[in-house]
Amino acid sequence: GVELGLVRLAAQFAGLLRLGAATTAVGDFATNALSVGAGLRYGQITFDYAFQGSDLLAAQHRVGITIAP
């Protein structure tokens, strides 16, 4: 996959865009070849989002929030 980002250390801010490609997609839970995502971090809080299609499960949206100590 490919990841492109912007980081501002003074403001503790980071933004990332992600693009992934599956090399094999087989079985009942085969996914589409491409996935896209984005992540934002400000201070100790990180928010991640990803999208990937699937023939069986339709569109899959994944969201994550992380708070670091």
Side-chain angles (χ1 to χ4, degrees), residues 34-52:
L34 292 178
S35 63
V36 294
L40 292 174
R41 183 182 73 218
Y42 186 76
Q44 297 174 312
I45 300 172
T46 304
F47 173 80
D48 286 302
Y49 170 79
F51 171 83
Q52 187 171 31

Side-chain angles (χ1 to χ4, degrees), residues 4 34 63-64:
L4 176 66
L34 292 178
V63 177

